[in-house]
Amino acid sequence: MTTTVEMPLWVLALLIAFAAVTFASHFLFPSVRWFFRKRMERLVARLNTRLTRPIEPFKLARRYDMIQRLIYDPEIGQAITDYAASEGIPENVAFERARRYAGEIVPAFSVWTYFSFAARVARWLCRSFYQVRVINFDGERIEQLDTEATVVLVMNHRSNMDYVLLTHLAAPRGALSYAVGEWARVWPLSRLIRALGAYFIRRRDGDLLYREILAKYVYLATRAGVTQAVFPEGRLSLTGRLADPKLGILKYIVDARDPDGRDVIFVPVALNYDHVLEDCTLLAAAEKSQRRFRVSLRSVFLGVLKVIWIGQSGRRRRYGHAGVCFGKPLPLAGFDGDVQALADEMMRRISAAMPVLPVPVLAYLLLSQGATDRVTLELQMKKLLLESNHSAVYWPRNHAGLALEQAITLLEQRNLIRLDGDKVVPIEREKPLLRFYAASVEHIFAHAASTA
């Protein structure tokens, strides 16, 4: 026992390294994990005392545990067996594929990342770029929703800022879980999005096994009362108009509802902007009749520098308003199960609640009337809103003249219009972009004209 043993220095270093790893894995790491777990539990307890919709235990489950729960679910086990038989592959290969699919879908929600980082960044971004206006907001009706029910926010998709805007508005009340497409499945963005509680979905190449696993995850989240946010259009609007709804996620949520358990309540949310940050990119994609579009890193970098250069007050003047309107909630209690009818009704409510902002209205008038003087434009704006009797309207200080001047300034800065004396003249080559903004509200004024 006391005999001196000689060994090479590299062997001694290797032994010390192994001993350190063993000590850390058996003593240090569990203690550190326990310490941070207790801190997180205290943070969640404090947050839940002030949140309208407390954080559900389902969201706090470890990602590894949730993946295991998914792939070992009896229904998923049967789906793996059926998939292996249909594809002619061994079951263990199908099982590993199911594990990979579950790993793609399942988030890794972090309370600190969501409330201490993302919510603050979202608030800063929204307040820096836009003057955010929640229009015709019936706060009491929203607050009176059953706290035990699963709330699903159903929104139109105008911009990638939609995620940021809803995160900012919802943070004082609870945490949202988004369904996010393939575009965000790149490192390090994917890590951040998972930490925010979002789950990834494949829109194009998901096979039957993938869809079974996605449906099971949505089933578990819905049954657990997780507050969700979905875009039934599936993708950003390339034209500015509302697109036909897709039934995928909505169907999964409807199928997950327990008739004898908690209810599911859909809340329509309509979003509109005076300036959509991606408008030129979306318009170019629409002209090419393709959904896939790329944004170069160079343009992103130059855009970020430009945004920083013009400053916060300059950004607000440059990008105008962002309008949000919450429509009448639709509970699933008593629902007959027709998912298509549900989707159509939600899109109808979103359409009826669409915020009317200065730039879309001015774009609509210029396209329909051509070059017009300021006085006539102001009168026409008032007339449009009077005839439409639309409730979700935002004029700065409730003054049509001020709204008109702000809209003129925003469009003139972007060289979409020019001033000829007292006349406002749309620039011919920029009419497609004006049409993009007018399309968001034209259904409101067209309906008013047809009923006049």
Side-chain angles (χ1 to χ4, degrees):
M1 296 294 292
T2 59
T3 304
T4 301
V5 178
E6 294 185 2
M7 64 177 66
L9 184 61
W10 67 269
V11 174
L12 177 62
L14 196 60
L15 286 174
I16 293 174
F18 281 144
V21 169
T22 302
F23 173 78
S25 62
H26 285 76
F27 299 100
L28 182 59
F29 291 166
S31 300
V32 171
R33 284 196 296 267
W34 176 86
F35 173 77
F36 283 108
R37 187 76 184 178
K38 297 301 290 185
R39 286 198 64 182
M40 187 197 72
E41 289 175 356
R42 290 195 294 268
L43 173 61
V44 170
R46 288 197 303 270
L47 277 172
N48 284 342
T49 59
R50 62 180 178 83
L51 294 177
T52 306
R53 308 195 68 82
I55 302 170
E56 304 84 3
F58 179 88
K59 289 181 71 71
L60 302 174
R62 291 195 310 164
R63 184 167 181 268
Y64 173 82
D65 295 339
M66 183 54 61
I67 292 174
Q68 296 298 101
R69 182 179 176 182
L70 271 178
I71 60 178
Y72 286 106
D73 183 274
E75 293 181 5
I76 298 301
Q78 184 60 51
I80 291 172
T81 301
D82 296 342
Y83 181 79
S86 65
E87 296 293 318
I89 59 177
E91 282 195 26
N92 62 326
V93 175
F95 181 83
E96 288 305 316
R97 188 167 297 177
R99 187 193 299 275
R100 187 174 75 248
Y101 288 158
E104 286 182 12
I105 295 168
V106 174
F109 180 68
S110 166
V111 176
W112 183 89
T113 302
Y114 191 97
F115 289 98
S116 297
F117 174 73
R120 292 177 180 177
V121 171
R123 179 178 60 190
W124 175 78
L125 284 173
C126 289
R127 292 181 176 179
S128 295
F129 279 86
Y130 298 106
Q131 298 179 43
V132 179
R133 295 293 180 263
V134 180
I135 306 167
N136 194 32
F137 177 61
D138 189 348
E140 184 177 349
R141 182 178 62 192
I142 301 298
E143 298 294 344
Q144 287 177 352
L145 293 177
D146 183 4
T147 56
E148 293 299 318
T150 299
V151 173
V152 182
L153 302 181
V154 185
M155 305 169 290
N156 64 305
H157 206 359
R158 287 283 283 163
S159 166
N160 285 311
M161 276 295 292
D162 297 345
Y163 297 99
V164 180
L165 185 57
L166 261 293
T167 298
H168 162 54
L169 294 177
R173 294 173 174 82
L176 294 178
S177 178
Y178 290 98
V180 180
E182 301 95 327
W183 63 270
R185 232 171 41 218
V186 293
W187 190 90
L189 183 60
S190 60
R191 297 293 297 271
L192 175 61
I193 288 176
R194 279 200 177 98
L196 298 180
Y199 58 96
F200 291 101
I201 58 174
R202 295 186 180 190
R203 295 193 181 100
R204 291 185 293 270
D205 56 351
D207 55 34
L208 183 59
L209 179 59
Y210 172 83
R211 290 194 293 271
E212 289 284 349
I213 294 172
L214 175 61
K216 176 57 68 172
Y217 175 79
V218 175
Y219 174 93
L220 294 174
T222 303
R223 286 288 180 100
V226 174
T227 303
Q228 301 174 58
V230 299
F231 300 95
E233 296 168 289
R235 296 176 174 89
L236 290 171
S237 171
L238 301 184
T239 62
R241 298 180 181 87
L242 294 178
D244 293 333
K246 302 182 185 302
L247 305 184
I249 296 296
L250 289 178
K251 185 178 186 305
Y252 296 154
I253 294 173
V254 170
D255 291 345
R257 178 179 175 267
D258 181 4
D260 300 320
R262 69 172 82 232
D263 195 9
V264 177
I265 302 176
F266 290 95
V267 179
V269 184
L271 309 173
N272 206 0
Y273 301 86
D274 274 333
H275 184 158
V276 174
L277 302 181
E278 312 93 329
D279 54 7
C280 293
T281 302
L282 296 174
L283 205 59
E287 290 174 354
K288 296 177 182 177
S289 299
Q290 62 180 23
R291 273 287 177 181
R292 294 186 179 183
F293 47 84
R294 293 185 177 182
V295 179
S296 67
L297 291 178
R298 179 176 178 273
S299 63
V300 172
F301 179 71
L302 293 176
V304 169
L305 290 180
K306 184 177 181 180
V307 163
I308 294 173
W309 176 257
I310 63 179
Q312 178 170 313
S313 60
R315 285 194 295 271
R316 287 186 177 180
R317 289 193 297 270
R318 185 179 184 87
Y319 296 108
H321 304 91
V324 184
C325 184
F326 294 83
K328 183 181 179 182
L330 190 156
L332 276 186
F335 176 64
D336 61 4
D338 187 344
V339 180
Q340 183 65 62
L342 170 69
D344 292 340
E345 175 61 19
M346 293 308 301
M347 296 307 294
R348 187 193 68 77
R349 295 190 183 195
I350 291 172
S351 176
M354 184 61 63
V356 173
L357 301 176
V359 165
V361 176
L362 178 57
Y364 176 83
L365 286 173
L366 290 176
L367 289 172
S368 59
Q369 300 181 10
T372 312
D373 62 86
R374 277 182 161 92
V375 175
T376 304
L377 282 173
E378 183 177 346
L379 292 174
Q380 288 295 325
M381 289 177 74
K382 292 178 180 178
K383 181 182 177 183
L384 277 177
L385 271 299
L386 183 63
E387 292 176 349
S388 67
N389 195 30
H390 192 65
S391 58
V393 178
Y394 176 73
W395 288 159
R397 301 177 188 171
N398 293 318
H399 194 281
L402 183 57
L404 174 63
E405 291 304 317
Q406 289 190 4
I408 289 173
T409 301
L410 289 168
L411 294 180
E412 189 182 18
Q413 284 176 343
R414 302 190 63 192
N415 296 317
L416 303 184
I417 61 172
R418 63 181 177 85
L419 299 180
D420 183 7
D422 197 41
K423 280 192 173 182
V424 180
V425 183
I427 296 177
E428 188 65 30
R429 68 176 180 274
E430 301 296 347
K431 281 188 176 180
L433 202 51
L434 291 174
R435 199 169 292 115
F436 174 84
Y437 286 97
S440 66
V441 296
E442 65 182 2
H443 64 280
I444 298 170
F445 305 134
H447 177 74
S450 65
T451 57

